[in-house]
Amino acid sequence: MSARYSLKRDLDELEQMVERLGDYLLGDAMYLPVGVGFFRGSSRPQMTIGALLLRRRRLSHLRAKLKRADGIRLDAALAQHADLQREWTLHYEKKLGREVPMRLKVMAGFFRECSENPRDCGGAYPVEALRRTIVQEILLALDEFGYEKRDAAAAPRPADQALRRLLHAGEFIWAPPLEAVYPRATFWWLYGRPDDA
């Protein structure tokens, strides 16, 4: 994640994701590019429910920093998201359930690569921190929406054990405005880096 954070970009991306959420929930794709015609370059976000929830948290916590018109846009996007989540609750729950193991599987590959090439760990870590943060957003949403957790709550344990061995506690790794959004007690992996970072 960049050292800079843009509320406007997050809001634009959230709106795009919410606009496509109904089709996404009814489709088979786990990742769906968003922002066609809006965002340029290869950094276009991939829509998942976890990615949407990530933006929802950040914008909700930082809403006091939004201009009035952007606050209205945020309220509309949040309301539309809530309506779609209630309308398609079984599809929503199913997508959440699929996303956790997919993200953790990719993280397992990162840990294997770190054990083989420790020097490459630090540069790749911010992406893994984002993955683990999205997994946490999903776990929190399972509670929020009263969904069955099944094995989801225990699923991150191996990744967390590997993270604790790899990380050295330190400063918050993302842009300073986001630190208030992610308390250390819940999002501890955002407060440290591997040795070589």
Side-chain angles (χ1 to χ4, degrees):
M1 176 170 278
S2 161
R4 294 187 306 172
Y5 170 69
S6 168
L7 273 167
K8 172 141 179 40
R9 184 179 61 238
D10 251 6
L11 181 56
D12 290 344
E13 291 171 358
L14 177 72
E15 285 179 321
Q16 292 270 317
M17 290 179 182
V18 169
E19 277 179 28
R20 301 191 68 186
L21 183 58
D23 291 337
Y24 174 77
L25 291 172
L26 297 175
D28 292 328
M30 198 63 221
Y31 294 93
L32 186 68
V34 295
V36 175
F38 221 151
F39 303 98
R40 294 182 179 85
S42 60
S43 63
R44 214 176 332 180
Q46 295 287 314
M47 177 178 175
T48 65
I49 295 178
L52 187 156
L53 293 170
L54 177 90
R55 286 158 179 83
R56 181 183 75 150
R57 166 185 295 281
R58 294 191 305 212
L59 289 161
S60 295
H61 277 79
L62 299 173
R63 82 175 297 119
K65 297 181 184 287
L66 289 172
K67 295 177 181 172
R68 186 172 184 276
D70 289 338
I72 292 168
R73 289 172 56 200
L74 175 60
D75 289 340
L78 294 177
Q80 185 178 358
H81 167 258
D83 289 346
L84 288 164
Q85 182 272 323
R86 281 190 299 270
E87 182 178 355
W88 299 107
T89 190
L90 294 176
H91 294 279
Y92 198 103
E93 182 177 11
K94 183 179 173 186
K95 288 276 190 178
L96 285 178
R98 287 178 52 206
E99 190 170 349
V100 168
M102 285 177 61
R103 289 193 181 275
L104 292 173
K105 183 177 179 182
V106 175
M107 287 187 76
F110 165 75
F111 296 129
R112 280 192 301 277
E113 289 174 22
C114 280
S115 65
E116 294 168 10
N117 299 305
R119 279 187 254 165
D120 296 338
C121 256
Y125 181 67
V127 173
E128 301 311 315
L130 176 62
R131 274 194 189 95
R132 181 59 185 88
T133 302
I134 290 173
V135 167
Q136 191 67 23
E137 292 290 359
I138 293 168
L139 297 176
L140 294 169
L142 291 172
D143 281 338
E144 177 186 349
F145 301 135
Y147 291 155
E148 177 63 44
K149 277 193 165 178
R150 294 184 200 89
D151 300 325
R157 280 193 199 129
D160 287 351
Q161 290 168 348
L163 282 171
R164 289 188 190 282
R165 286 191 301 270
L166 182 69
L167 298 182
H168 296 279
E171 299 298 313
F172 186 69
I173 65 169
W174 286 351
L178 293 173
E179 188 169 359
V181 177
Y182 297 103
R184 187 185 292 261
T186 305
F187 298 92
W188 52 268
W189 54 87
L190 295 176
Y191 292 84
R193 293 183 177 274
D195 262 337
D196 64 325

